[in-house]
Amino acid sequence: MNRRKTKKIKIGNVFIGGDSPIVVQSMLKTKPDDLQETLNQIRALKNAGCELIRMALPEIDTCKIIPFLKKETDIPIIGDVHFNHNIALKAMELGIDAIRINPGTINNTRKVKEIAHIAKETKTPIRIGINIGSIEKRILGKHHKPGAHTMVESALYYTKLFEDIGWTELKVSLKASDIYQTIEAYRKFSKLSDYPLHIGITEAGPIFSGVIKSSIGIGILLHLGIGDTIRVSLTGNPIYEVVAAYHILRDMGLRKRGINIISCPTCGRCKTNLMEFVEEFEKDMANIDKYLNVAIMGCEVNGPGEAKEADIGIAFSANKAVLFSKGTIIRTGIPREMAKDVLKEEIYNMTA
Ligand code: SF4
């Protein structure tokens, strides 16, 4: 996997593009005028490992949250602005870390130019976020139907517009809910431009199907070397977006964070309740940042082999278990009811 070389930009204290790690982003789902709820969700997302947060700024008035958040948290906040460009101008004036505009919903070159001037003046990075559902009328009029090419044309037009004004701290996204259109748009754009790219499948759906769709789309793009920030867009608690993003990055060997559970699916040979064991164990491990491979296996068939290869492994045989650490058996005959505590203790020792 050869990561595409992109321009490096900085949003708040986070570098994006170039040789920086691929950054995990999510979006707040609270009402922006509910200051405390919003701050609580920001803190929960940060604890889960989120590195960039986007928040909707639907009205000029909602910008009043910006100074409060700047005081209370250091995670960079990207204000999401549609329709009224004055909201972007106000948010930049108040020190927002970055602005996401969708040129299709602003749909006015003069207004986007005004944003570019103020972005340059206030040194505010801009995400040009193209969405297939809102391609501007000028481009749609020319091509009649939205598609990957219309997203690329729109993104190139607006990046050029910012360049003409002398502001190039930009990142770009080209999102569709269709995986193939999304991939085509990113592939086309990345051949023509070196701006860092925020990737994801937009409106991916509820948690189960949304994670699958996002994993396929984001996974293919990452494999092509495309993507500097990612968001798994889910209709659900945003914490799941962050958890899913790290799973994707970890499974592709791009970020190492948290416990990677290798567990067997169980079958008729399994003589212990492995499903319950793994489910509870996963919840208990949710807050561990350190990267470890932990194998949890249901019987002697593949159990010892997998448990030996992992950093820590536990293999059941009937209602007793054997514990491995770095390939060596360190304990045998562990009763089922003690096995989770024994495994957790070994993990805490290794991550201490
Ligand atoms: S490790 Fe054993 S219990 Fe688990 S799936 Fe394989 S054969 Fe079945």
Side-chain angles (χ1 to χ4, degrees):
M1 195 186 308
N2 278 332
R3 193 161 160 212
R4 174 180 155 258
K5 285 201 172 48
T6 53
K7 176 181 158 69
K8 195 187 237 184
I9 67 165
K10 197 177 179 200
I11 297 184
N13 51 14
V14 174
F15 284 103
I16 291 156
D19 55 0
S20 333
I22 296 166
V23 170
V24 171
Q25 185 175 318
S26 184
M27 187 161 183
L28 297 177
K29 306 193 177 185
T30 53
K31 300 263 174 287
D33 41 16
D34 190 334
L35 272 54
Q36 198 51 51
E37 267 301 292
T38 300
L39 184 61
N40 292 346
Q41 192 161 83
I42 288 175
R43 287 183 172 148
L45 282 167
K46 196 179 166 195
N47 282 343
C50 188
E51 295 161 313
L52 278 182
I53 289 181
R54 182 157 63 110
M55 71 175 298
L57 295 173
E59 319 280 346
I60 283 260
D61 205 39
T62 47
C63 292
K64 67 174 186 283
I65 197 172
I66 296 166
F68 169 74
L69 295 181
K70 293 285 290 175
K71 200 159 64 108
E72 295 293 334
T73 177
D74 61 351
I75 188 163
I77 310 277
I78 304 166
D80 191 70
V81 176
H82 296 270
F83 308 116
N84 181 355
H85 81 300
N86 288 312
I87 302 171
L89 306 183
K90 180 79 182 168
M92 288 190 276
E93 209 180 275
L94 290 171
I96 193 98
D97 295 294
I99 289 284
R100 181 267 173 136
I101 52 160
N102 174 346
T105 59
I106 293 186
N107 202 22
N108 181 305
T109 299
R110 178 188 61 78
K111 291 177 181 174
V112 177
K113 273 188 183 165
E114 263 185 67
I115 294 175
H117 277 294
I118 301 299
K120 186 181 173 188
E121 216 175 283
T122 56
K123 299 195 180 346
T124 311
I126 301 287
R127 170 178 151 204
I128 298 177
I130 309 293
N131 195 303
I132 199 161
S134 48
I135 299 287
E136 69 258 38
K137 290 189 190 109
R138 185 181 54 84
I139 291 179
L140 267 189
K142 215 162 78 182
H143 298 281
H144 311 298
K145 239 176 106 182
H149 57 294
T150 57
M151 289 198 275
V152 173
E153 187 174 330
S154 179
L156 289 172
Y157 177 81
Y158 286 102
T159 50
K160 173 79 171 51
L161 193 147
F162 275 79
E163 283 161 10
D164 290 347
I165 282 158
W167 188 239
T168 56
E169 292 298 290
L170 307 175
K171 71 170 178 166
V172 173
S173 62
L174 309 112
K175 291 193 181 179
S177 58
D178 177 82
I179 292 174
Y180 291 103
Q181 275 181 322
T182 307
I183 291 165
E184 197 189 336
Y186 278 105
R187 284 184 81 158
K188 280 193 164 123
F189 185 80
S190 62
K191 284 190 187 130
L192 300 167
S193 166
D194 71 347
Y195 285 114
L197 293 175
H198 171 71
I199 63 169
I201 304 297
T202 196
E203 293 122 22
I207 292 169
F208 190 74
S209 50
V211 166
I212 294 171
K213 200 191 261 189
S214 299
S215 304
I216 297 169
I218 292 173
I220 292 172
L221 285 169
L222 291 173
H223 186 67
L224 294 170
I226 296 170
D228 300 286
T229 61
I230 72 171
R231 180 193 177 196
V232 176
S233 159
L234 299 174
T235 312
N237 188 328
I239 301 296
Y240 291 123
E241 298 191 357
V242 177
V243 172
Y246 277 106
H247 273 279
I248 295 170
L249 292 173
R250 192 172 65 196
D251 291 344
M252 296 198 70
L254 295 166
R255 295 283 300 263
K256 292 197 160 177
R257 185 183 195 276
I259 304 294
N260 180 34
I261 301 174
I262 299 146
S263 59
C264 82
T266 82
C267 70
R269 289 180 191 278
C270 188
K271 295 197 178 73
T272 192
N273 189 345
L274 200 79
M275 289 186 210
E276 183 191 75
F277 186 96
V278 171
E279 214 177 288
E280 290 173 4
F281 174 78
E282 189 178 33
K283 277 190 201 136
D284 293 349
M285 294 293 106
N287 290 328
I288 301 229
D289 294 344
K290 189 156 177 194
Y291 176 71
L292 275 187
N293 286 308
V294 176
I296 304 170
M297 302 295 290
C299 85
E300 306 87 336
V301 173
N302 293 319
E306 287 286 1
K308 209 171 159 188
E309 290 305 312
D311 294 307
I312 300 175
I314 194 156
F316 284 91
S317 167
N319 263 337
K320 293 269 192 298
V322 179
L323 185 70
F324 291 75
S325 177
K326 299 279 182 200
T328 307
I329 294 178
I330 55 166
R331 209 161 148 180
T332 57
I334 308 161
R336 165 69 171 84
E337 58 278 12
M338 284 176 62
K340 195 146 57 68
D341 288 338
V342 169
L343 177 61
K344 277 161 62 180
E345 197 186 320
E346 189 54 27
I347 289 167
Y348 295 138
N349 288 341
M350 206 178 267
T351 54

